[in-house]
Amino acid sequence: MAQSSNVTPLFNDLAKVEHDHNIACQDCALYRLCLPLGLHRNDLAELDEIIQRSQSFPRGHALFNTDTSFHSIFVVRSGSFKTTVQAVDGREHVTGFYFPGEFIGMDAIYAKAYKSTAKSLESSTVCELPFEKLQEFSATMPQLQIQLMSRLSRELSGDKSLMFLLGKKTAEEKLATFLLSISKRFQDRGFSAADFQLTMSRGDIANHLGLAVETISRLFTRFQDDGLIYTKNKAISLRDAERLKQLCG
Amino acid sequence: MAQSSNVTPLFNDLAKVEHDHNIACQDCALYRLCLPLGLHRNDLAELDEIIQRSQSFPRGHALFNTDTSFHSIFVVRSGSFKTTVQAVDGREHVTGFYFPGEFIGMDAIYAKAYKSTAKSLESSTVCELPFEKLQEFSATMPQLQIQLMSRLSRELSGDKSLMFLLGKKTAEEKLATFLLSISKRFQDRGFSAADFQLTMSRGDIANHLGLAVETISRLFTRFQDDGLIYTKNKAISLRDAERLKQLCG
DNA sequence: CGGTGACTTGAACCTTTTCAACAGGCGTGG
DNA sequence: CCACGCCTGTTGAAAAGGTTCAAGTCACCG
């Protein structure tokens, strides 16, 4: 288990990502979740050329921050990341968590500057997509363009849900929603929906959900006492996803 | 003052929008804020053809809801809108307010279905952009494509800030931030940054900021007592924008 | 094995919500 | 044009959900 901590991948292919830094898009286990989906074979080969596959970053590595000049958007290849925005007074908000196949840095496109910071939560790798070239390619690959817009739109839609969560949900509903969201994303990636590692700290979860760490801690305890989940440090098992769903509000 | 309630436009041109439903993009006062910015003259003329300019909607008109089938994204031409997302239990969150030149419905692109509802806050008009055609055009107009991505990206970035606001700011900071944001947007549109009409209700503001109506009401009173603002029903004057800015956190 | 940071637990506190009552605008219809 | 009624907004008092503070435990890493 080199870079991704999440137990045994159900798709054998997914293991490949961990070991080969230079695997091509068409052979990548993430293909069906990733940008190239729907591209013609030739186009894909071309796109493949411009993608820069990173070496493994250690936990806590900053992919970019607000001082980094904007040239690329990133796709998580293995591991996981968090993004944060900061206020002048130092307060920080965790705006999202990102897993393999998910895009980071799209909110930087319009200003051509990163407005946020991205940090790895564990040993991780990314595919770097130089934005200029991506845009050039889009001009001749309508499918690529559609994919990019689609990605942006999906994140937008997710953020609206997150706004609802932050603005309207109770602590209990927030955590239940969060756990199921993570579960779903692991499942989509061929991992168990019930048992997984929370790669982020309790502090990160609390921050992301607009709660205090203590509240998260208490909720974990209560959920466990109620037989909804079982936690042991970073590991978590969803014991009653159905009841958890009902708690989402 | 037919459709837009916001006092006297500083740009004379802006008044035109109010009266001529079929004004072309290149003659539109919103041009510099809108999608066509940067398009070549010929391309613009082509784009112009596919844009459907709406008649005036009354206050409370639903531009779309989750049952509407997705065909178009919209640009506000005059007036203002709010978008909301709903939970199964009926709870609703106001995810944003939209003013002339701003885009509505971009979060629907990826699923080809509206996940939210858009309602006019006053008598308003929109430009409807059929999405299929927009995508066709984008294939041959790189500038259009860039504009669309840019718009999506900007909204994304704004939503991250909103998440920070909802998750980390106090009631006071939330309202101060909100007022300055609205002020800025009016200013960008050639209206006074200091004096304007809040076209949305206190309830909408409260909901959007994740607060109770009573809290908003109390804050308005307090801000007024402190000489920061002056309110009379929907009308508001920012008396001390500097101090307001310091309250934003 | 020891130290440091992450997590947990308890208790007091506080900001915001909820409940309740009232005032004020606005639109409708007489 | 005024009166009525309803919805929106305001204000006060009580309640609560979550935070903060404080202390202690636990896991991980050098």
Side-chain angles (χ1 to χ4, degrees):
Chain A
M1 195 63 54
Q3 292 155 38
S4 181
S5 58
N6 264 293
V7 205
T8 315
L10 300 183
F11 295 96
N12 287 332
D13 283 354
L14 215 45
K16 272 206 254 175
V17 182
E18 316 295 334
H19 300 112
D20 187 345
H21 285 297
N22 291 311
I23 198 164
C25 285
Q26 60 239 40
D27 298 323
C28 182
L30 292 169
Y31 176 79
R32 89 212 125 79
L33 291 170
C34 199
L35 186 67
L37 188 64
L39 284 194
H40 295 298
R41 198 167 186 75
N42 297 346
D43 290 347
L44 182 50
E46 248 189 287
L47 180 66
D48 214 75
E49 296 276 307
I50 64 164
I51 296 176
Q52 292 162 24
R53 294 168 181 86
S54 80
Q55 294 298 101
S56 177
F57 301 128
R59 181 173 177 290
H61 173 83
L63 196 54
F64 57 77
N65 59 41
T66 50
D67 295 327
T68 313
S69 66
F70 172 75
H71 296 299
S72 303
I73 59 179
F74 299 89
V75 184
V76 181
R77 201 144 64 88
S78 66
S80 50
F81 289 81
K82 68 172 174 182
T83 52
T84 55
V85 293
Q86 251 166 313
V88 281
D89 62 4
R91 274 183 299 181
E92 191 172 76
H93 185 80
V94 175
T95 47
F97 299 109
Y98 296 83
F99 296 104
E102 295 179 335
F103 284 48
I104 307 180
M106 292 193 298
D107 54 335
I109 293 172
Y110 90 101
K112 299 201 178 300
Y114 297 112
K115 303 285 189 181
S116 52
T117 297
K119 274 208 174 104
S120 57
L121 294 169
E122 58 187 313
S123 178
S124 305
T125 59
V126 297
C127 290
E128 181 172 349
L129 313 176
F131 188 67
E132 285 279 327
K133 292 188 179 164
L134 213 51
Q135 222 158 39
E136 285 170 30
F137 278 37
S138 295
T140 58
M141 301 181 194
Q143 272 307 315
L144 178 60
Q145 192 195 120
I146 290 168
Q147 276 288 320
L148 282 169
M149 294 260 293
S150 184
R151 284 289 170 159
L152 275 155
S153 173
R154 194 201 300 197
E155 181 152 358
L156 206 48
S157 183
D159 283 0
K160 307 287 183 193
S161 305
L162 231 24
M163 285 170 59
F164 180 93
L165 176 143
L166 287 166
K168 294 283 172 303
K169 293 195 180 187
T170 64
E172 185 178 88
E173 291 170 340
K174 283 177 178 179
L175 185 58
T177 307
F178 172 76
L179 290 175
L180 287 177
S181 156
I182 299 287
S183 163
K184 174 69 162 54
R185 284 151 84 185
F186 278 137
Q187 187 172 36
D188 289 346
R189 281 155 187 79
F191 294 101
S192 166
D195 301 287
F196 47 89
Q197 298 282 331
L198 291 171
T199 57
M200 67 294 292
S201 70
R202 300 286 193 266
D204 286 337
I205 298 173
N207 184 307
H208 180 56
L209 300 178
L211 297 168
V213 199
E214 293 92 331
T215 306
I216 293 295
S217 193
R218 279 184 254 271
L219 281 170
F220 267 116
T221 306
R222 185 147 65 82
F223 280 5
Q224 175 146 327
D225 290 348
D226 292 352
L228 291 168
I229 63 173
Y230 173 80
T231 50
K232 168 102 182 168
N233 306 328
K234 300 255 180 193
I236 186 166
S237 299
L238 307 191
R239 286 288 173 79
D240 194 339
E242 197 46 55
R243 206 138 53 91
L244 220 39
K245 195 159 195 172
Q246 281 160 19
L247 286 184
C248 286
Chain B
M1 194 61 53
Q3 291 156 42
S4 182
S5 58
N6 264 292
V7 206
T8 316
L10 300 182
F11 295 96
N12 287 331
D13 284 354
L14 216 44
K16 273 208 252 174
V17 183
E18 316 294 336
H19 300 113
D20 188 344
H21 286 298
N22 292 310
I23 198 165
C25 286
Q26 61 239 43
D27 298 325
C28 182
L30 292 168
Y31 176 79
R32 88 212 126 81
L33 292 170
C34 198
L35 186 65
L37 189 65
L39 286 193
H40 294 297
R41 195 165 187 78
N42 296 346
D43 290 347
L44 182 50
E46 250 188 286
L47 181 66
D48 213 76
E49 295 275 306
I50 66 162
I51 296 175
Q52 292 162 25
R53 294 168 181 86
S54 80
Q55 294 298 102
S56 176
F57 301 126
R59 181 174 177 287
H61 173 84
L63 197 53
F64 56 77
N65 59 40
T66 50
D67 295 328
T68 312
S69 67
F70 172 75
H71 296 299
S72 304
I73 59 180
F74 299 89
V75 184
V76 181
R77 201 145 62 90
S78 67
S80 50
F81 289 81
K82 68 171 174 184
T83 53
T84 55
V85 294
Q86 252 166 311
V88 282
D89 63 4
R91 273 183 299 182
E92 193 173 75
H93 185 81
V94 176
T95 47
F97 298 110
Y98 297 84
F99 296 103
E102 296 179 333
F103 284 49
I104 308 180
M106 292 192 298
D107 55 333
I109 293 172
Y110 90 100
K112 298 197 178 303
Y114 296 113
K115 302 285 190 182
S116 52
T117 297
K119 275 208 174 102
S120 57
L121 293 169
E122 58 188 314
S123 179
S124 305
T125 58
V126 297
C127 290
E128 180 172 350
L129 313 175
F131 187 67
E132 286 279 326
K133 291 188 180 162
L134 212 51
Q135 224 158 37
E136 285 170 30
F137 278 36
S138 295
T140 57
M141 300 180 196
Q143 272 308 317
L144 178 59
Q145 195 195 118
I146 290 168
Q147 275 289 319
L148 282 169
M149 296 259 295
S150 182
R151 284 288 171 161
L152 275 155
S153 173
R154 192 201 302 196
E155 180 152 356
L156 207 48
S157 183
D159 283 1
K160 308 287 184 194
S161 306
L162 231 23
M163 285 171 58
F164 179 92
L165 176 145
L166 287 166
K168 293 281 173 304
K169 293 196 179 186
T170 64
E172 187 179 86
E173 292 170 339
K174 284 177 178 180
L175 185 58
T177 307
F178 172 76
L179 290 176
L180 286 177
S181 156
I182 299 287
S183 164
K184 175 71 162 54
R185 285 150 85 185
F186 278 137
Q187 187 171 35
D188 288 347
R189 281 156 188 77
F191 295 101
S192 165
D195 301 286
F196 46 89
Q197 298 283 331
L198 292 170
T199 56
M200 67 295 291
S201 69
R202 299 288 193 266
D204 286 337
I205 297 173
N207 184 309
H208 180 55
L209 301 179
L211 296 169
V213 199
E214 292 91 332
T215 307
I216 292 294
S217 192
R218 278 185 255 271
L219 281 171
F220 267 115
T221 306
R222 185 147 65 83
F223 279 5
Q224 175 147 326
D225 290 348
D226 292 352
L228 291 168
I229 62 173
Y230 173 80
T231 49
K232 167 101 182 170
N233 307 327
K234 301 255 180 193
I236 185 166
S237 299
L238 308 190
R239 286 287 174 78
D240 194 339
E242 199 45 56
R243 206 138 53 93
L244 222 39
K245 195 160 193 172
Q246 281 160 20
L247 285 184
C248 286

